[in-house]
Amino acid sequence: MIEINNITMIFDNKPAHKLKKSDKPVFDEEMKPREKALDAVTMEIPDGCIYGFVGFNGAGKSTLMRLICGIYKPSSGTILVDSESSFDNPAAKSNIFFVNDETIEYTDFTLDKMRRYYSGYYPQFDHELFERLAYTLELPMNRKLSTFSKGMKRQSVVLIGLACHTKYLILDEAFDGLDPSMRDMIKKIIREEIKKRKSTLIISSHNVAEIGDMCDKVMRLTRGKLVFADELENVKTNYRKFQLVNLEHTISIEEIEAAGIKPEKYSQAGKVVRIIVRDSDDISEKLRSIETVLCEEIPLDLEEIFVYDKNAEEVK
Amino acid sequence: MMSFSRINRSALSELIIHKKSHIISMILLGIAGFLYSETSMIKDCDANINWSSVFFFTVALIPLFSACIRVFRDMHDVPTADVQMAMPLSSRERFLSRLMTICYIWIFPYMFFSGMGNVLSVLFHSNTSYTGYDGSKIEYASVPELFAVNFKVFIWGLSAVLFITAVTVLCSCCIGSKAEAVYLPAILMIVISVLPFETVSYIEEKFVNVSLNTYSDSSILQVFGFGAVFCDMYEPYSVVIVLVNCILSLGLIALAMFAYTKRDAATVGYPVVFRVFFEILMILSLFSLFQTVHMSSYGAEYFALFIYFIGATILRIIVSRKDITPVKIFKWTGVFAGYYAAFILFSYLACITNGFGANFKKPDKSELSYSPVTVNVNCGGMKETGNSFSYENLSVDAIDKVTETAYEYVAIQNSNPKYFLDSMFTGVGGYYYYNEKENNLDEKDKYYNCSIDVSAYDITREYHRTVFSVDLYLDKESAENFYRDMVELGPVLRAGM
């Protein structure tokens, strides 16, 4: 289990050219820019689950992942991986494999060279699995990664991550820029392997649709602050999506609001109206007061929740 | 708990990435090693080192420099830091594994090929003899003799290798960007090697009248930096100097390890991570430049200082990247002025302490194997007494007697009022300056330039060289006394023969 206790991460004096547009630097007493990348984040990642980190660019997902891997030292708070601090601790790190959001550092490698490189660091490296997956994905072993397509590079890195056979596999923006068929194929392989060996997968994305369908649990960060961290199903219950139909006329937003409902989103297609609302005890009763021929609840995906949360945040 | 097997395993993994550097180094060092096998030594003579092998060795230092930067690129490359710092190693193990990688790429091949060159040279060129053109029998040195010389050459090379490694690794650990990892070590290597010699020359020229570089104890300046490479390998103390040089480089590597373990990936990308390191580099390089200004550009000091200020500011602008404000430039100007003030203070201390007491040093007794000794005495400008005279073919003991008399007059000269600013900006102790303007001065302010040069034939090195020299600026009475004393010393010096 990974325990994250009150983690704050501040990048001191981050140079101006290093700040992304999305970064919101704060200033200290001397007016030096200080970027609070994470602000008092507390959560737990249980064993054997697939945990999704969602949030927009610059929200702090990658920083949190790097803290878990011991790449950064937290400014305050603790991160315990199986009850041990991961920073500067080879024992804890030997259970973690991190795939960052870039593959540029591997461009000089061939897949075979990567295998030799990583097997030196991870003695438990699974050569049989590596060969099997490379064959399945049709990845050439002796061609430089610089000649690979972006998708092939990501496949290669994920393949290495799986072959290192660590208890925790951390993938940062692993599916970014992949076409849907390739994304589905990698997802399938990862899911199968993770479930088979009961490992924990932590996966991040700014595009919730990419990972929403594979996570057991999900957390969301906004500007370094934890918005929620829960079971995917529990997260979804905070919002509900309804489909309303009136054959006589299109139900207007005023009509809905007159029923005492404040929709987070209203959309219409012909006579069919869809609304997303925050859950409340009396929502069904209020909906009944609207004249409809059809009123049904339809599934809400994670991406929709994500968008509405962002809107709510901006309104604040 | 540190694990050697983990360190070694990871070093071997890193070697996969640096295969090209490894192969290039092996080729260059291999050629150097084979060429070194041509090194020979005729009995009781200096070794005839194959200089082509030294050339190839020097060329091979370029891939070493490059390898040191690339191996430690986790300190200045974000994607690499992500990969490497996530690996199951502690920061200390990671540092040691990087060093081990450098050993695999360069140092172990150097040991192997120089060892091979040594063995081949001993096999081909020892314990044999041949007949010269004149029919005389020429004998090569014995195995232990040639082996000892080869071993010295090996540690000479090792001192340079360790120095380059230490400085480059230290810079990589103290900075966070690739550009700085390349040019800052180059600056630091030059500064460390040059500054001690330049400081002594500066003090000697400005505040001391006794030439220091004729003493063997100037070799102390070679204990760090590339100076050791120029150490005379036939001197008995030279091995100690080179070994100390190696130890100091190892000390610098230990310092680098300390810096390395203090860092995480959050600092990767910053041009300078440890500001103290950068400021030390700045102050050392500026001291070196200030000394050059005051030694070489009489009358152009302020222009040269302005140029240096521009240079230092450009370096700071480069290091600050785009983060420049007028306030910062103002601050840097203040820092530059502060460093120059520190330099003035240092010079002032050198002036009032007569070069930190350096002008009362005597030639090392162990060097007194010279024969015969020549003493030249010169009292320029004293029309009444004439100019110069000399004693030739003296014994080694004469040196002590001459230095004794010389130091009496150094003490008299030092009791004269000091003109610090004149001596710093114009010439030796300010005395020369006043001497030049003698037409405008009272008799009591005039100084006469008297000098003693002691030279001898150095049996060990087989050439004639100056072993002691002193320039004195004395008032008229003291100059006359000096002249008389030196004349009267003649019979005493000859009596010792």
Side-chain angles (χ1 to χ4, degrees):
Chain A
M1 186 166 74
I2 299 172
E3 297 158 79
I4 298 164
N5 303 314
N6 207 21
I7 279 290
T8 295
M9 185 67 191
I10 296 168
F11 291 106
D12 282 327
N13 303 326
K14 196 170 186 178
H17 70 285
K18 288 264 167 192
L19 291 172
K20 297 174 201 158
K21 276 186 184 168
S22 53
D23 289 342
K24 301 277 181 204
V26 291
F27 294 87
D28 63 14
E29 303 76 24
E30 293 172 17
M31 294 305 284
K32 285 180 185 164
R34 291 167 77 90
E35 190 206 10
K36 214 170 193 178
L38 288 173
D39 191 359
V41 173
T42 298
M43 60 181 282
E44 276 182 6
I45 300 171
D47 288 347
C49 75
I50 298 179
Y51 211 119
F53 284 13
V54 295
F56 294 95
N57 289 332
K61 308 179 298 289
S62 301
T63 303
L64 185 57
M65 288 183 152
R66 286 178 170 88
L67 283 160
I68 294 170
C69 300
I71 294 171
Y72 292 158
K73 188 180 183 182
S75 303
S76 68
T78 54
I79 292 186
L80 301 176
V81 176
D82 296 332
S83 308
E84 282 190 88
S85 167
S86 59
F87 185 74
D88 215 12
N89 183 350
K93 283 180 174 183
S94 63
N95 288 325
I96 305 170
F97 189 92
F98 175 57
V99 176
N100 69 357
D101 52 353
E102 289 184 60
T103 48
I104 193 158
E105 69 274 18
Y106 304 109
T107 47
D108 261 1
F109 280 29
T110 62
L111 211 49
D112 189 47
K113 211 169 166 183
M114 268 177 94
R115 181 231 306 253
R116 283 188 287 134
Y117 180 72
Y118 279 99
S119 57
Y121 281 101
Y122 295 90
Q124 72 273 30
F125 192 91
D126 189 338
H127 292 271
E128 187 274 324
L129 175 72
F130 178 84
E131 275 164 23
R132 182 162 50 83
L133 291 181
Y135 179 77
T136 309
L137 295 167
E138 295 176 0
L139 293 170
M141 295 292 273
N142 292 312
R143 242 175 69 193
K144 276 193 176 181
L145 260 69
S146 54
T147 65
F148 280 19
S149 68
K150 186 176 181 180
M152 285 164 83
K153 280 182 201 159
R154 298 287 335 167
Q155 282 179 334
S156 308
V157 180
V158 170
L159 166 58
I160 287 284
L162 290 170
C164 283
H165 233 283
T166 52
K167 184 177 171 189
Y168 301 99
L169 178 61
I170 301 180
L171 306 177
D172 190 9
E173 305 282 359
F175 310 125
D176 189 23
L178 298 186
D179 62 65
S181 63
M182 194 169 279
R183 192 191 307 155
D184 289 344
M185 192 198 289
I186 297 183
K187 273 186 195 176
K188 186 168 167 275
I189 290 169
I190 294 172
R191 208 184 288 129
E192 279 172 7
E193 275 302 314
I194 293 293
K195 292 293 174 194
K196 192 164 80 185
R197 62 169 99 141
K198 293 186 177 127
S199 303
T200 302
L201 172 69
I202 301 170
I203 188 160
S204 79
S205 180
H206 62 275
N207 183 356
V208 186
E210 279 181 356
I211 60 167
D213 59 338
M214 67 187 296
C215 298
D216 305 319
K217 296 190 85 170
V218 67
M219 64 85 105
R220 190 178 155 224
L221 287 168
T222 300
R223 291 177 197 162
K225 288 190 175 169
L226 186 68
V227 179
F228 58 74
D230 209 340
E231 299 283 338
L232 187 59
E233 288 312 309
N234 295 342
V235 172
K236 285 182 179 176
T237 55
N238 290 330
Y239 292 90
R240 294 173 77 179
K241 187 176 181 181
F242 294 96
Q243 187 168 252
L244 313 171
V245 181
N246 186 323
L247 296 175
E248 303 294 318
H249 67 284
T250 306
I251 301 165
S252 67
I253 190 161
E254 289 79 16
E255 226 175 311
I256 295 166
E257 281 175 348
I261 300 165
K262 204 177 170 192
E264 297 290 331
K265 193 188 176 192
Y266 169 92
S267 63
Q268 64 165 93
K271 295 277 189 284
V272 181
V273 166
R274 287 190 178 131
I275 57 168
I276 293 174
V277 292
R278 279 184 184 273
D279 194 18
S280 63
D281 293 339
D282 56 352
I283 187 77
S284 305
E285 198 179 317
K286 284 174 181 173
L287 280 170
R288 273 198 293 274
S289 69
I290 303 170
E291 197 183 325
T292 57
V293 289
L294 173 75
C295 176
E296 63 171 358
E297 189 170 358
I298 53 173
L300 183 69
D301 65 39
L302 193 57
E303 190 173 17
E304 286 170 316
I305 301 166
F306 189 58
V307 173
Y308 308 138
D309 260 4
K310 189 214 168 206
N311 292 341
E313 191 72 31
E314 279 172 1
V315 169
K316 271 185 214 170
Chain B
M1 187 76 176
M2 262 206 305
S3 152
F4 176 75
S5 72
R6 246 191 332 244
I7 292 169
N8 193 41
R9 232 176 27 229
S10 102
L12 289 170
S13 280
E14 287 302 311
L15 196 60
I16 296 169
I17 300 178
H18 304 286
K19 203 172 166 185
K20 278 180 200 159
S21 296
H22 190 204
I23 292 169
I24 293 168
S25 305
M26 296 267 277
I27 291 169
L28 290 169
L29 290 169
I31 293 170
F34 274 109
L35 290 174
Y36 190 81
S37 62
E38 278 302 302
T39 294
S40 60
M41 191 165 89
I42 291 166
K43 205 170 179 62
D44 301 326
C45 292
D46 288 356
N48 181 20
I49 293 168
N50 186 311
W51 290 102
S52 306
S53 73
V54 178
F55 169 78
F56 276 98
F57 164 78
T58 310
V59 173
L61 292 175
I62 297 167
L64 169 68
F65 178 65
S66 152
C68 290
I69 294 167
R70 279 175 50 77
V71 166
F72 279 87
R73 75 196 186 291
D74 55 334
M75 293 281 99
H76 40 78
D77 182 61
V78 176
T80 309
D82 271 353
V83 171
Q84 302 209 339
M85 291 191 190
M87 298 289 196
L89 290 172
S90 68
S91 54
R92 195 169 290 188
E93 286 172 336
R94 202 166 53 244
F95 179 86
L96 293 173
S97 81
R98 301 291 171 271
L99 276 188
M100 187 73 108
T101 307
I102 293 172
C103 287
Y104 279 124
I105 293 173
W106 216 97
I107 296 175
F108 293 158
Y110 170 67
M111 288 176 167
F112 174 77
F113 287 114
S114 59
M116 183 195 72
N118 189 349
V119 170
L120 291 177
S121 144
V122 168
L123 280 177
F124 296 155
H125 301 290
S126 62
N127 280 345
T128 55
S129 61
Y130 65 93
T131 309
Y133 294 116
D134 57 353
S136 61
K137 196 182 174 192
I138 297 167
E139 264 187 277
Y140 279 119
S142 65
V143 172
E145 280 172 325
L146 187 54
F147 187 82
V149 168
N150 288 343
F151 182 72
K152 277 185 181 180
V153 174
F154 165 73
I155 59 166
W156 256 240
L158 191 63
S159 76
V161 170
L162 287 178
F163 178 65
I164 291 173
T165 306
V167 172
T168 314
V169 169
L170 179 70
C171 285
S172 278
C173 295
C174 293
I175 54 93
S177 98
K178 209 176 281 178
E180 274 68 27
V182 176
Y183 70 80
L184 288 184
I187 295 175
L188 191 58
M189 273 187 255
I190 294 168
V191 167
I192 290 177
S193 300
V194 164
L195 189 62
F197 292 96
E198 210 160 69
T199 305
V200 167
S201 303
Y202 170 71
I203 291 173
E204 183 190 306
E205 186 178 322
K206 296 287 178 182
F207 312 110
V208 182
N209 309 113
V210 180
S211 177
L212 286 176
N213 59 10
T214 56
Y215 295 138
S216 62
D217 61 4
S218 66
S219 319
I220 195 90
L221 306 173
Q222 297 170 321
V223 294
F224 202 31
F226 287 121
V229 176
F230 304 104
C231 200
D232 188 341
M233 64 188 291
Y234 297 104
E235 294 288 356
Y237 58 80
S238 58
V239 175
V240 177
I241 284 174
V242 175
L243 287 176
V244 172
N245 189 296
C246 293
I247 290 166
L248 287 176
S249 292
L250 293 176
L252 214 57
I253 290 172
L255 191 67
M257 183 161 88
F258 177 75
Y260 188 92
T261 54
K262 291 283 160 208
R263 285 184 62 180
D264 64 359
T267 53
V268 176
Y270 294 0
V272 173
V273 176
F274 297 104
R275 187 49 63 177
V276 176
F277 164 78
F278 182 70
E279 292 305 326
I280 289 173
L281 190 143
M282 284 299 276
I283 200 164
L284 290 181
S285 45
L286 283 175
F287 260 56
S288 175
L289 293 171
F290 292 153
Q291 286 166 356
T292 312
V293 166
H294 286 282
M295 277 195 290
S296 55
S297 62
Y298 295 109
E301 288 87 355
Y302 297 109
F303 179 71
L305 276 178
F306 176 70
I307 297 291
Y308 289 165
F309 168 68
I310 298 291
T313 307
I314 288 171
L315 185 59
R316 284 187 189 275
I317 289 171
I318 292 169
V319 164
S320 297
R321 300 293 191 268
K322 294 172 188 166
D323 194 17
I324 308 157
T325 58
V327 177
K328 276 198 171 172
I329 293 184
F330 186 72
K331 198 172 132 191
W332 296 337
T333 311
V335 172
F336 185 84
Y339 290 166
Y340 189 65
F343 173 68
I344 299 271
L345 179 68
F346 167 78
S347 303
Y348 181 71
L349 290 174
C351 182
I352 59 169
T353 57
N354 299 312
F356 304 107
N359 65 355
F360 286 104
K361 287 191 173 179
K362 291 188 176 180
D364 189 346
K365 288 280 179 192
S366 66
E367 279 197 348
L368 300 181
S369 57
Y370 315 100
S371 177
V373 173
T374 305
V375 177
N376 290 308
V377 181
N378 180 41
C379 278
M382 292 187 67
K383 288 172 190 135
E384 302 90 334
T385 52
N387 279 327
S388 61
F389 57 91
S390 60
Y391 302 112
E392 288 179 8
N393 292 321
L394 299 176
S395 70
V396 171
D397 293 337
I399 296 173
D400 275 349
K401 288 169 186 150
V402 172
T403 51
E404 243 169 62
T405 310
Y407 284 129
E408 275 176 34
Y409 285 92
V410 168
I412 291 169
Q413 176 201 258
N414 289 343
S415 66
N416 289 331
K418 289 192 177 299
Y419 303 99
F420 165 64
L421 290 177
D422 289 329
S423 75
M424 192 175 161
F425 286 92
T426 316
V428 180
Y431 307 125
Y432 180 68
Y433 176 69
Y434 280 90
N435 200 33
E436 283 285 283
K437 294 202 299 188
E438 64 182 78
N439 293 335
N440 305 325
L441 294 169
D442 293 338
E443 189 62 29
K444 66 180 173 55
D445 288 329
K446 285 180 186 169
Y447 292 105
Y448 291 88
N449 180 207
C450 303
S451 66
I452 304 173
D453 284 294
V454 180
S455 58
Y457 185 78
D458 187 335
I459 295 167
T460 323
R461 298 178 179 86
E462 297 180 349
Y463 60 83
H464 214 87
R465 71 183 189 99
T466 303
V467 293
F468 174 78
S469 72
V470 61
D471 265 324
L472 295 165
Y473 292 85
L474 301 169
D475 57 45
K476 191 178 181 190
E477 190 190 341
S478 304
E480 282 167 355
N481 291 341
F482 170 76
Y483 189 86
R484 196 186 56 242
D485 284 356
M486 289 310 292
V487 170
E488 287 171 0
L489 197 62
V492 181
L493 297 178
R494 291 195 194 287
M497 288 181 71

